[in-house]
Amino acid sequence: MPEHSPTAAHRKLRYAMVGGGRDAFIGGVHRKAAALDGQIELVAGALSSTPDKARASGRDLFLSDARNHGSWQELLADELKRPPEERIDFVSIVTPNHLHFPVAKAFVDAGFHVVCDKPLVHTSAQAQELVAAVHQQGTVFGVTYNYTGYPMVRQMREMVRSGVLGVVRKVVVEYHQGWLATHLEASGNKQAQWRMDPAQSGMAGAMGDIGSHAENLLTSVTGLEVEAICADLSAMGAGRTLDDDCNVLLRLRGGAKGVLMASQICIGCENGLRLRVFGTEGSLDWQQENPNQLLHAPLGVLPRILTRGTPGLSPAAQQATRLPSGHPEGFIEAFANVYLGVASDIRARLEGRQATPLQADYPRVEDGARGVRMIEKVVESAHASHKWTPL
Amino acid sequence: MPEHSPTAAHRKLRYAMVGGGRDAFIGGVHRKAAALDGQIELVAGALSSTPDKARASGRDLFLSDARNHGSWQELLADELKRPPEERIDFVSIVTPNHLHFPVAKAFVDAGFHVVCDKPLVHTSAQAQELVAAVHQQGTVFGVTYNYTGYPMVRQMREMVRSGVLGVVRKVVVEYHQGWLATHLEASGNKQAQWRMDPAQSGMAGAMGDIGSHAENLLTSVTGLEVEAICADLSAMGAGRTLDDDCNVLLRLRGGAKGVLMASQICIGCENGLRLRVFGTEGSLDWQQENPNQLLHAPLGVLPRILTRGTPGLSPAAQQATRLPSGHPEGFIEAFANVYLGVASDIRARLEGRQATPLQADYPRVEDGARGVRMIEKVVESAHASHKWTPL
Amino acid sequence: MPEHSPTAAHRKLRYAMVGGGRDAFIGGVHRKAAALDGQIELVAGALSSTPDKARASGRDLFLSDARNHGSWQELLADELKRPPEERIDFVSIVTPNHLHFPVAKAFVDAGFHVVCDKPLVHTSAQAQELVAAVHQQGTVFGVTYNYTGYPMVRQMREMVRSGVLGVVRKVVVEYHQGWLATHLEASGNKQAQWRMDPAQSGMAGAMGDIGSHAENLLTSVTGLEVEAICADLSAMGAGRTLDDDCNVLLRLRGGAKGVLMASQICIGCENGLRLRVFGTEGSLDWQQENPNQLLHAPLGVLPRILTRGTPGLSPAAQQATRLPSGHPEGFIEAFANVYLGVASDIRARLEGRQATPLQADYPRVEDGARGVRMIEKVVESAHASHKWTPL
Amino acid sequence: MPEHSPTAAHRKLRYAMVGGGRDAFIGGVHRKAAALDGQIELVAGALSSTPDKARASGRDLFLSDARNHGSWQELLADELKRPPEERIDFVSIVTPNHLHFPVAKAFVDAGFHVVCDKPLVHTSAQAQELVAAVHQQGTVFGVTYNYTGYPMVRQMREMVRSGVLGVVRKVVVEYHQGWLATHLEASGNKQAQWRMDPAQSGMAGAMGDIGSHAENLLTSVTGLEVEAICADLSAMGAGRTLDDDCNVLLRLRGGAKGVLMASQICIGCENGLRLRVFGTEGSLDWQQENPNQLLHAPLGVLPRILTRGTPGLSPAAQQATRLPSGHPEGFIEAFANVYLGVASDIRARLEGRQATPLQADYPRVEDGARGVRMIEKVVESAHASHKWTPL
């Protein structure tokens, strides 16, 4: 992946971050991902909903006082006052889920490009409102379904969509974690607290937090619409109102069947996201904890091991690759590929070009909206006594 | 595992085989399993439903002409005429599924001990009739759910049942094969033909053939009754009336949830049986293609790798082990453990003892009956529009 | 692998065992291996050098009193008195190493076929004497280098020898165990005691016990003669006079370089035998603890996974295979393949035929002699101050 | 790993890069590693020995024209003219090997802190001169032995050095690549060309390029001095004068034995660096292509799997960790840890503090010098006819 040589807008892109202050987890990942390739710089922020904490967090990151704000509203107002040559190119929203909607809506309405964490918002109504706003503004809106940023996931997507597997017959996507096996939210763990609080997390627990990644991975790779689901949600942990274990039967357009499992009570599982796709001509198997490999079993011949960085991979995989094979790339690099896609799209606009699909390879606001709908329908199905709930 | 030193009946046990002639697959596995430990010898047979083929097959195996029969009825009649010191100790039934019932019933009714392949019979009515007959005769009846013969499956069972995992919360059992991904039954493959023929195979395809192994593995290991299921069965292969792909949501007694998957259209999967059990205190993960290992992740400490043959394993695992760790044991050895359990039980009776549970560690006719009921209920659930079908 | 249908000598082959009584390890493995395929039966024995123990051990195995002997000399004398239709077809020698030579020599001189454990004998002088005796008698003599009985080792051999890898450039063979990391021989462990006693074990410890397996694996697979070695032997365990750790640089005919490592003090290693062969056109990698797989990396294309039992493997691998892929075969099955090769050769002679090389696929007395020479030269090199010791 | 909150020098550190222009490989890795954590910014450069290419490369990276130089001499002169508040904090040298010495020496003599790629220089004489200069100046000098930046390598180091393994008995370090299996340097591959050219690469090929990483990994982790070696070097590729395959027997202080293998002709190996350390109380096994795991086999209990990011790891490992377990970190993150160590040391000096050993955890100029000596001695040993060459 060559470092870029843009002919116009010959500068790093500038961004602000909302959320991600001290004690947060995912904000720091976004910052590392954005910084990795030397294309993007952090220039402003409103890093916490607590003003003092926000400003202390911004100082940690060497933000200038003038652009280190106590609230996202101040940040937005300040940016709107600045001349274009200073203004941020986009904002990155990494707050708990319940703030995604108001912050994203305000920045989109003000004409800013946005990167937003997942799940996008709490309800399909919000999601549709946001999709409409983005369409109206014509702005860039990326959702950090980061797992689809892995080169071998993109390779898998290109192979499935180009028919290497023939007709897809079965998909199994599982996302097993164990960190909520105990009552962690009672012991002061901030990450556990907001995830198990419906007010902050939304109508679903594990399904929203990681099941939505599983849905996005499945849908992105196969390109197949989920037509109907049959879900069983459980709250295994004492006192929980949100699910920590989800098992879902799937029916996909075109006749494929499938299973989606997402759980956070599976002791021994760290971040066990795996996708298997079986077609009439072969299968593919990818596991997030070993992300540089993809196992391809074609019908009737020996299974082969594809590794990131080897010749012959698709342009989409090659573009997402920084190192030769055998030199492991990981989670941050995949995350950075989402930022690179967004940056390519924004930079093209700055240069008056339209980015190619290969360049602008990142999950959109519509992907986020589809994910919200999936969460809603899984919850609906879990309460239904009939077997199949259509999407 | 020491070679036995019985004090009475100091001889090898004698058995006859029904089915398993030339072109058959599983019969030869039974014979190797029975022969492995030097405890059991094959002395008679009716190895095919075609008399000429039966006798030719028996000659291949060095059977004497006098005990090499053209039909199982002749075999049974001949055995009944022989004096006890010559007579077989048990019969092993390895025919296609539809013959299990009549053959097994006849031998049980005649007072013989029986080993029978799975699935036991076609219907729960037959299964109950057979269970009643066995109870009435008080004979030994083993069902070759061979996967529970693996030492590390027995280790898993002992650990789960003794509470090492705490309360079981989730189980995932999958059994993925790929050999029926193409229309193999149309190309003269005998194994495929009878499995996809309802008259020989029964009401289910993949669910009967391998899903029943998955059910047995799950139930044997956890000891938890399946209370309700929600199944989706598919016949992906053109022209098939029986399922080749099954996905089932499970609810177990005590509140655990689960998923059972069984499929024979998963290209790239050879014999991919895997069981994961997650409890409040840890998890266990076992895979049939790497059967000498068991991964144990206790809550809060490092995951550890248990290997067959290492000190500290349960007596049930140690008894089923022949070699030190690092010296792989496989499918036949596991199969042989079922035969050893049956042989121990028969030998104890010959010696007027009662075998201990540790010695008589093999699946019983009741396990076979439960498997048949599971198949029936999965098929019923697959046709239902309501979500949960109680068992 | 079809069960045989011999047209003459239509019976099981008969064998006697010397050594392998109660408390022994490898004798029981030989018996299971010989029994597995229903081709060979144990009819006589002298199972220990202690007469009472010998006879008690024979009773455990259901030997008749008449053929259950207190010494190998009695066994030999008794066999020579029996008529041919009762007499054993071969003897299997599974004693500690120091008895291999006298027992083997006596049975060969008496015209019996022999299976003998490895290392063959203590010195090259003995080895040459034995080779000469076998040549003079024209008898079958198999050495149980059992690891070359694995189907995927045979596959590897066929691929290397047929040039699939081009010219071999580098070989790495390692055999790491950990069971002698502590001073086990001081705690009464019989297996450890004789192995660390030069009188019983010979001039080498780990090199003789497992290094000789590594040498045989390397030489069998590549067909390349070792031209020179540079060895470093260590006795890490307190009070040991024999090596428990060996590291050897290798130069092979044709220019390939290599490394042989054998150690019994590597805690955490169970039976870690691995062979990697690198050529100008690709590489192969096989590991004994995962014996059903072979990894093949051809130059310039994706690496592929060969599994035992899949179509397209060499006849030598297919012949050594009992089960479909995904149904693990292990150590005993590989061991049994050595016995099957010997049995095929003996049976052919009984029928007046010459066995084909494919049928008579087993390690010979010459392989055993080469192994003894390798051990001697490694010990010589370890004491030399010059770098290279020619073989 | 918290983002830093320095109390003085509250700004990013500034650095310049020498080498690493268009077509180079490792320079880009250094830049990503330096950028990742938001602590360091690139402000100047002389990115190629070809002035036009140097400046074009600098423009790609958004360098200002004033600090984008055509040669490292111009860069150095320019920096010396700048006021301290603008001047770089350190220079990063990523040229081919033969330029390391003159560039590093000049910057050290001018009082600059340095990061330099490995192998440090071509000869021990140069190395000693450089060590002396660094000592005289008292400056920071980091060598990018990046593999010791992996968290689980640091964990391994802490465990071995604190005695968890008891006394070390055996080490096996291997570094197998396959990319030079063909005559790649003849086809215009720039990376292959300079590596196989003694004028640019030095006296060794694979030993210098990757064997020196193996030596550093081994020495860093165990803390044991190599006392004597016995090496076999080969140039397998046609026309090569430098080695592409190395096998070395090792004797370490304290009595441990070992093997070092480094090869670039091993087809199928991508970047196969692995270190195994066996002691009297257990063993550790780490593989670079699966860098987030470390296998620990303690004597007498079950082996356990340590994963990066789990509680209970050493402070050195925790400090080097950015993400929770299950979220893979890779090559760049390990590389970045070397930069973080250097940056911590420089920042401490800027603030008038002395960095703790935990903070200043990076390979020093002395480590680089030791690596050069090892390369020299391996080459000497390879030409010797006696077995052991002392170091």
Side-chain angles (χ1 to χ4, degrees), chain D residues 64-344:
Chain D
S64 69
D65 289 346
R67 301 184 84 166
N68 183 14
H69 303 283
S71 73
W72 64 265
Q73 292 91 345
E74 291 171 34
L75 166 65
L76 177 56
D78 182 65
E79 286 299 320
L80 289 171
K81 283 185 292 192
R82 292 186 180 270
E85 67 272 17
E86 272 185 19
R87 201 179 284 177
I88 56 171
D89 293 296
F90 69 95
V91 66
S92 188
I93 303 169
V94 297
T95 62
N97 299 349
H98 66 296
L99 292 173
H100 290 177
F101 179 70
V103 181
K105 185 66 168 45
F107 276 86
V108 169
D109 285 345
F112 285 96
H113 303 306
V114 172
V115 170
C116 185
D117 217 310
K118 47 52 56 189
L120 183 64
V121 290
H122 275 188
T123 67
S124 276
Q126 292 173 334
Q128 289 315 316
E129 198 177 333
L130 199 53
V131 169
V134 171
H135 287 183
Q136 188 176 344
Q137 294 288 342
T139 46
V140 168
F141 197 106
V143 181
T144 47
Y145 286 118
N146 50 290
Y147 296 110
T148 49
Y150 276 112
M152 298 317 279
V153 169
R154 294 189 174 177
Q155 175 67 21
M156 197 178 188
R157 182 189 67 192
E158 298 303 305
M159 291 175 77
V160 174
R161 295 200 176 197
S162 67
V164 171
L165 301 192
V167 177
V168 174
R169 286 173 157 181
K170 181 166 193 173
V171 294
V172 181
V173 61
E174 58 185 273
Y175 198 157
H176 287 134
Q177 296 181 332
W179 68 292
L180 292 175
T182 58
H183 204 195
L184 207 59
E185 61 271 38
S187 65
N189 181 297
K190 187 173 180 281
Q191 299 297 326
Q193 277 173 343
W194 77 254
R195 276 182 179 78
M196 282 299 153
D197 172 9
Q200 294 182 79
S201 192
M203 74 185 64
M207 184 62 210
D209 193 29
I210 61 175
S212 59
H213 275 300
E215 178 275 334
N216 182 261
L217 182 63
L218 165 64
T219 312
S220 299
V221 165
T222 65
L224 296 174
E225 195 181 319
V226 178
E227 291 189 328
I229 58 174
C230 173
D232 191 19
L233 297 188
S234 309
M236 292 285 178
R240 282 183 189 154
T241 55
L242 294 180
D243 58 284
D244 50 20
D245 185 70
C246 322
N247 301 305
V248 188
L249 302 179
L250 305 172
R251 293 188 161 183
L252 306 185
R253 173 154 297 176
K257 302 298 184 67
V259 175
L260 181 156
M261 295 177 272
S263 186
Q264 297 181 308
I265 53 96
C266 291
I267 295 170
C269 297
E270 296 184 334
N271 201 33
L273 176 61
R274 180 185 187 186
L275 175 62
R276 287 174 276 181
V277 180
F278 301 97
T280 52
E281 300 294 329
S283 70
L284 289 165
D285 185 354
W286 178 82
Q287 304 195 47
Q288 192 270 152
E289 295 185 353
N290 187 20
N292 295 285
Q293 281 200 352
L294 175 62
L295 193 65
H296 177 212
L299 178 64
V301 295
L302 295 174
R304 61 262 335 252
I305 305 163
L306 286 79
T307 52
R308 187 197 48 71
T310 43
L313 298 188
S314 65
Q318 287 182 18
Q319 177 189 247
T321 293
R322 291 166 183 80
L323 298 173
S325 66
H327 299 68
E329 294 189 18
F331 185 90
I332 292 174
E333 287 83 349
F335 223 110
N337 287 333
V338 177
Y339 271 91
L340 279 183
V342 169
S344 291

Side-chain angles (χ1 to χ4, degrees), chain A residues 62-325:
Chain A
F62 310 118
L63 288 186
S64 69
D65 289 347
R67 301 184 82 166
N68 184 14
H69 303 283
S71 74
W72 65 265
Q73 292 89 345
E74 291 171 34
L75 166 66
L76 177 56
D78 181 67
E79 286 299 322
L80 287 170
K81 281 184 292 190
R82 292 185 180 272
E85 67 272 17
E86 274 185 19
R87 199 178 285 175
I88 57 169
D89 292 296
F90 69 95
V91 67
S92 188
I93 303 168
V94 297
T95 62
N97 299 349
H98 66 296
L99 291 173
H100 290 177
F101 180 69
V103 181
K105 185 66 167 43
F107 276 86
V108 169
D109 285 346
F112 286 95
H113 304 305
V114 172
V115 170
C116 185
D117 216 312
K118 48 50 56 190
L120 183 62
V121 290
H122 274 189
T123 67
S124 277
Q126 291 173 334
Q128 289 316 317
E129 197 176 333
L130 199 52
V131 168
V134 171
H135 287 183
Q136 188 176 344
Q137 294 287 343
T139 45
V140 168
F141 196 106
V143 181
T144 48
Y145 286 117
N146 51 290
Y147 296 109
T148 50
Y150 275 112
M152 298 316 279
V153 169
R154 294 189 175 178
Q155 176 67 21
M156 197 178 188
R157 179 190 71 192
E158 299 303 305
M159 290 175 77
V160 175
R161 295 201 176 195
S162 67
V164 170
L165 300 191
V167 177
V168 174
R169 284 173 157 180
K170 180 165 194 175
V171 294
V172 181
V173 61
E174 58 185 273
Y175 198 157
H176 287 135
Q177 298 180 332
W179 69 290
L180 291 176
T182 58
H183 203 196
L184 207 60
E185 62 271 36
S187 64
N189 182 296
K190 187 174 180 279
Q191 300 296 326
Q193 278 172 341
W194 76 253
R195 277 182 178 78
M196 282 299 153
D197 172 9
Q200 294 182 78
S201 192
M203 74 184 65
M207 184 62 211
D209 192 29
I210 60 174
S212 60
H213 275 300
E215 178 275 333
N216 183 260
L217 182 63
L218 166 64
T219 312
S220 298
V221 165
T222 64
L224 296 175
E225 196 181 320
V226 178
E227 291 189 330
I229 58 175
C230 173
D232 191 19
L233 296 189
S234 308
M236 293 285 177
R240 282 185 188 152
T241 55
L242 293 181
D243 58 285
D244 50 21
D245 185 70
C246 323
N247 301 306
V248 188
L249 303 179
L250 305 172
R251 294 189 159 181
L252 305 185
R253 172 154 298 176
K257 302 297 184 69
V259 175
L260 182 155
M261 294 177 273
S263 186
Q264 296 180 309
I265 53 95
C266 292
I267 294 170
C269 298
E270 296 184 334
N271 201 32
L273 175 61
R274 180 184 187 187
L275 174 62
R276 288 175 275 180
V277 180
F278 300 98
T280 51
E281 301 294 329
S283 69
L284 288 165
D285 185 355
W286 178 82
Q287 303 196 46
Q288 192 272 151
E289 294 185 355
N290 187 19
N292 294 285
Q293 279 202 354
L294 175 63
L295 193 65
H296 178 211
L299 178 65
V301 294
L302 295 173
R304 62 262 335 250
I305 305 163
L306 286 79
T307 51
R308 186 198 49 71
T310 44
L313 298 187
S314 66
Q318 288 182 17
Q319 178 190 249
T321 293
R322 290 165 184 81
L323 297 173
S325 64

Side-chain angles (χ1 to χ4, degrees), chain B residues 17 54 59 75 97 131 144 176 244 260 302 328 341 349-350 388:
Chain B
M17 180 166 276
R59 281 191 295 272
L75 166 66
N97 300 348
V131 169
T144 48
H176 286 134
D244 49 22
L260 181 155
L302 295 174
R349 290 162 189 240
L350 290 175
W388 294 105

Side-chain angles (χ1 to χ4, degrees), chain A residues 169-170 174 176 181 230-232 234 236 245 247 251 257 266-268 276 278-279 282-283 297 381 384-385 387-388, chain B residues 169-170 174 176 181 230-232 234 236 245 247 251 257 266-268 276 278-279 282-283 297 381 384-385 387:
Chain A
R169 284 173 157 180
K170 180 165 194 175
E174 58 185 273
H176 287 135
C230 173
D232 191 19
S234 308
M236 293 285 177
D245 185 70
N247 301 306
R251 294 189 159 181
K257 302 297 184 69
C266 292
I267 294 170
R276 288 175 275 180
F278 300 98
S283 69
S381 170
S385 61
K387 189 186 283 183
W388 294 106
Chain B
R169 285 172 157 181
K170 181 167 193 173
E174 58 185 273
H176 286 134
C230 172
D232 192 19
S234 307
M236 291 286 177
D245 185 71
N247 301 305
R251 294 190 160 181
K257 303 297 184 71
C266 291
I267 295 170
R276 288 175 275 180
F278 301 97
S283 69
S381 171
S385 61
K387 189 186 282 183

